Amino acid sequence: MKHRGTTFLSGIAASAVLALGLTATAFAGEVTSLAVLVPEQGTDFGWNQQGVDAARAVAAAQGLEFLPAEGLGYGDVRPTLRELAEDGASLMIAHASGYNTAAPEIAAETGVPVAIVDRPMDMKPGLVADYTLHGHEAAYMAGALAAQMTRSGTVGIVVSGEPPSWNSQSAGFAQGVHATNADVKIIYAVIGPAAYGDAAGGRRVTESVIAAGADIIFGQGNGSSFGMIEAVETSKAPDGGNVWFIDVIGDKSSLDKGHLLSSVVWNMEPVYTAMVEDLKAGSFGTKSYKIQLSDDSVKLLKTDHIPAESWDSAMALRDDIIAGKVTVDLITDAQAVRALMNSVDAGSE
């Protein structure tokens, strides 16, 4: 009986090993198409456009069919995910923090791998990967630039919500301001808990921050950033001069009417390329992807509005951050971010 039991258990163990081997092999495979899902149209010069453009570029470079799904809003995207899976998507990039619950569910249901943001704890090998991106180091550079260029001694941060990516940049910006000039005040304002597309709210809140004395606005929006820009273009700083705007993720230089000082620009092509390569290699879902200064996947936008000496200072700061001479703390908790500010605008939220 003992011998028979040992043989039986050994057979189970062998079967388990074989099953694990087959599962691991199944993780790796041919990638034929790439889908990306975004809540707004991919024409916002920001989060949505950078995601769509990067996915399109990676699909073209890898010879993949490109399956974009734009303007989906912030509601239930399960039907769209199922449809894309049925259409043969090899990888679905759920490019919104609001999709990070639905996407893993549909991945488990259909077996089609997904990439989500802001949920590294939900990664599953072969099925769910995370790309919570943090531009905090370039935001630190933007904060240093703002501290150098403010005339009123007050700058503002206006955000359309408080997801980890926005929080880390707000904290990075504040650290850069304080390290450059501790006397500069920072007003922090939140349009709403998920006001990413609220252009009217963006304008209203930004106007209140300018009225409180800010002459430079660091705005993190999506569609709401266009309202922020309207406020900057139509408002005057305390000294009667222009208000500067520092944008995030995209490059709105072609729309600038003389107020775009810079932007913390994200390039997601290296991130999406790594996803496809990892899916082919069988290592998808085993690490969280990031952007960084060293490969310019995140960088500070150079404009004609930045004085030469200020730009040189920013580039020297970039070198110091890459070399580890300057450390930018990664802070993603909303309350910890607020603790870095001089005041939180009572007119927001």
Side-chain angles (χ1 to χ4, degrees):
M1 289 294 292
K2 182 178 180 180
H3 176 72
R4 286 169 59 90
T6 302
T7 302
F8 178 70
L9 291 174
S10 297
I12 292 177
S15 298
V17 170
L18 177 61
L20 287 172
L22 290 173
T23 301
T25 302
F27 287 167
E30 184 181 8
V31 181
T32 60
S33 59
L34 177 63
V36 62
L37 300 87
V38 294
E40 300 176 33
Q41 294 300 316
T43 54
D44 65 349
F45 294 86
W47 173 261
N48 297 276
Q49 184 168 339
Q50 291 296 88
V52 172
D53 286 354
R56 180 185 292 109
V58 170
Q62 298 273 344
L64 309 176
E65 181 184 3
F66 179 51
L67 304 173
E70 304 177 31
L72 300 178
Y74 297 91
D76 186 8
V77 294
R78 290 174 180 83
T80 302
L81 287 161
R82 290 191 181 98
E83 182 178 347
L84 289 168
E86 291 172 0
D87 288 343
S90 302
L91 170 62
M92 298 186 290
I93 300 174
H95 193 55
S97 58
Y99 301 167
N100 58 23
T101 297
E105 290 179 6
I106 301 305
E109 175 186 308
T110 64
V112 177
V114 299
I116 59 174
V117 298
D118 298 344
R119 297 288 295 180
M121 68 289 291
D122 290 343
M123 289 192 298
K124 294 183 179 179
L127 200 62
V128 181
D130 170 78
Y131 65 113
T132 302
L133 306 180
H134 297 295
H136 59 302
E137 292 179 337
Y140 183 99
M141 296 165 58
L145 177 65
Q148 292 173 24
M149 293 194 61
T150 179
R151 306 179 307 277
S152 67
T154 298
V155 300
I157 300 175
V158 179
V159 298
S160 56
E162 294 181 296
S165 296
W166 274 190
N167 290 342
S168 65
Q169 291 191 143
S170 295
F173 183 87
Q175 291 174 69
V177 169
H178 293 320
T180 304
N181 187 342
D183 293 329
V184 174
K185 296 179 180 179
I186 308 173
I187 301 173
Y188 180 73
V190 184
I191 301 168
Y196 303 110
D198 185 0
R203 177 168 182 165
R204 171 181 54 79
V205 173
T206 302
E207 287 175 341
S208 72
V209 174
I210 295 171
D215 60 358
I216 298 178
I217 300 295
F218 181 49
Q220 303 183 80
N222 290 358
S224 64
S225 65
F226 290 98
M228 301 177 196
I229 292 172
E230 288 179 0
V232 167
E233 291 174 343
T234 57
S235 302
K236 292 296 183 182
D239 64 358
N242 284 352
V243 178
W244 293 115
F245 186 70
I246 300 177
D247 196 24
V248 294
I249 300 186
D251 178 0
K252 295 187 176 72
S253 296
S254 61
L255 307 177
D256 182 31
K257 296 180 181 179
H259 297 268
L260 181 65
L261 181 61
S262 188
S263 179
V264 175
V265 179
W266 295 10
N267 177 10
M268 300 174 200
E269 287 185 40
V271 173
Y272 293 170
T273 297
M275 289 180 187
V276 173
E277 294 296 338
D278 287 348
L279 192 57
K280 292 177 180 178
S283 55
F284 182 83
T286 61
K287 65 182 180 183
S288 190
Y289 302 94
K290 66 179 182 178
I291 51 178
Q292 54 196 349
L293 290 176
S294 58
D295 64 1
D296 280 339
S297 52
V298 63
K299 63 181 181 181
L300 197 62
L301 176 69
K302 183 179 182 181
T303 71
D304 293 338
H305 304 308
I306 303 175
E309 61 273 17
S310 295
W311 182 254
D312 290 343
S313 176
M315 291 302 97
L317 183 55
R318 174 184 181 274
D319 292 342
D320 285 345
I321 293 172
I322 293 174
K325 296 178 181 178
V326 173
T327 301
V328 184
D329 294 333
L330 177 60
I331 299 173
T332 59
D333 176 72
Q335 293 306 313
V337 169
R338 293 177 178 223
L340 295 173
M341 310 302 166
N342 294 95
S343 66
V344 175
D345 182 21
S348 65
E349 303 181 281

